[in-house]
Amino acid sequence: MPIAAFGAIHLDTIAHADRRILRETSTPAALAIRPGGVATNVARALARLGCRVSLAGRLGREAEADGLLAHLAGEGVDTGAIRRADLPSGRYLALHDPDGTLAAAVVDARITETLEPGALLPPTKAQEVAGCWFLDANLPQPLLVELAEAAAGRRLAADAVSRAKAARLAPILPRVDLLFCNRAEAAALLGRDSEHDEGQQEPGDSGAEVATALVTAGAGAVVMTRGAAPVLLATRGGIDEISLTTREGAAAPAPRIVDVTGAGDALIAGTLAGLEHGLALADAVAAGMRAAALTLESPGAVAGTLNWPAIAPNG
């Protein structure tokens, strides 16, 4: 079944410095401009994984936005639900140190933040036939509520995006079948943002209690990332830890990080693609983790090596 993604569409500028980035001085770096935004990254990755996918959001009217639309269509993403507006297109600027870690980032998301209820409805034909809708929390809360209601009986997946935006999902949490978040975003969504410094995990705190609390609050299942630690999968049946494995099921070495951009989005896309390919949820999350690892080892938000055979379990 096709998948419909709703959320941020950005023009990303990604800088990879050849030395550690310092404040108050310039740093030599290689810059690249690519498509970005959570929903956009997920849609692009889904297309590479053999899924039919449509993308909804809003772009400006610049020539660069025209080029972005053509790029997305060329990758197999249905762009018929993308609206245009007389506002600057969303932009994201990320600065990466030589080890691939993120030194700093800024985003101009006014074009998405100002989307009003009704802006992305009624659904297009591609969205109507989609069996799964994916929402990212870059969208304003009233629009998230409206889309969750319009999703009706479809599988609804959502990404918390950031600590600042996670709480936008609170009103629709009982409608979300599959929630993606990290430990800090989970705390923010539960209204516990000040519980720990910066929402970080304390020694001895695995995050299991917070993931379980999200299920108790209504989420059908929660996929919680914890940095380099195994991903937590919380369902009404309990908690599982899912580690990175090879397609044969053996433990896989930690990825060699080139660029952290889009790794979480690849986890989402790989998981949703796994479900569309008929995998059980835990196996789909494992496929998503392999997609994330490929992305960490590649420049940009969507790895050129990403495809379904590369992440599907053998057999």
Side-chain angles (χ1 to χ4, degrees):
M1 290 283 286
I3 298 172
F6 300 77
I9 307 171
H10 294 161
L11 292 159
D12 282 4
T13 300
I14 309 297
H16 286 276
D18 64 7
R19 65 201 70 185
R20 188 168 68 88
I21 295 171
L22 302 175
R23 291 180 63 88
E24 300 180 3
T25 186
S26 62
T27 304
L31 276 71
I33 299 177
R34 300 186 176 96
V38 172
T40 302
N41 294 340
V42 170
R44 295 177 65 215
L46 283 168
R48 292 195 63 87
L49 292 169
C51 297
R52 292 165 54 199
V53 58
S54 65
L55 175 62
R58 189 157 66 180
L59 273 174
R61 303 188 191 278
E62 313 96 328
E64 297 153 295
D66 294 338
L68 175 55
L69 277 176
H71 184 107
L72 293 172
E75 291 184 320
V77 176
D78 185 315
T79 61
I82 295 177
R83 274 59 169 183
R84 309 295 292 270
D86 294 323
L87 290 168
S89 292
R91 293 181 184 271
Y92 172 76
L93 170 62
L95 308 179
H96 291 272
D97 282 327
D99 63 358
T101 56
L102 184 66
V106 292
V107 62
D108 178 355
R110 289 170 291 172
I111 195 167
T112 300
E113 295 280 351
T114 57
L115 278 165
E116 62 283 347
L120 301 183
L121 292 174
T124 64
K125 184 173 182 179
Q127 293 166 335
E128 286 180 342
V129 300
C132 172
W133 281 16
F134 167 75
L135 313 179
D136 81 40
N138 287 301
L139 298 173
Q141 189 175 84
L143 186 53
L144 288 167
V145 171
E146 181 181 64
L147 290 171
E149 292 174 354
R154 301 174 179 86
R155 175 187 290 134
L156 187 65
D159 180 43
V161 175
S162 70
R163 287 179 64 207
K165 297 174 180 177
R168 297 178 182 181
L169 297 177
I172 68 169
L173 194 58
R175 177 61 187 85
V176 173
D177 299 299
L178 185 56
L179 172 68
F180 295 87
C181 61
N182 62 28
R183 171 67 178 79
E185 293 159 358
L189 180 48
L190 289 167
R192 305 179 184 180
D193 205 23
S194 60
E195 192 171 281
H196 304 307
D197 181 43
E198 295 301 315
Q200 296 302 307
Q201 187 174 311
E202 290 188 340
D205 176 11
S206 69
E209 186 275 330
V210 176
T212 300
L214 286 170
V215 174
T216 301
V222 177
V223 178
M224 180 188 291
T225 58
R226 302 179 296 166
V231 166
L232 285 184
L233 173 60
T235 66
R236 289 177 174 82
I239 289 274
D240 288 319
E241 286 194 346
I242 302 179
S243 300
L244 179 63
T245 61
T246 65
R247 295 175 58 231
E248 291 74 24
R256 181 182 63 86
I257 298 176
V258 172
D259 187 342
V260 298
T261 305
D265 306 330
L267 169 65
I268 295 168
T271 301
L272 295 181
L275 293 173
E276 291 303 310
H277 281 91
L279 298 183
L281 179 55
D283 293 331
V285 174
M289 292 181 69
R290 289 189 283 274
L294 286 176
T295 304
L296 286 169
E297 294 177 338
S298 305
V302 179
T305 54
L306 182 64
N307 55 56
W308 180 243
I311 69 168
N314 272 351

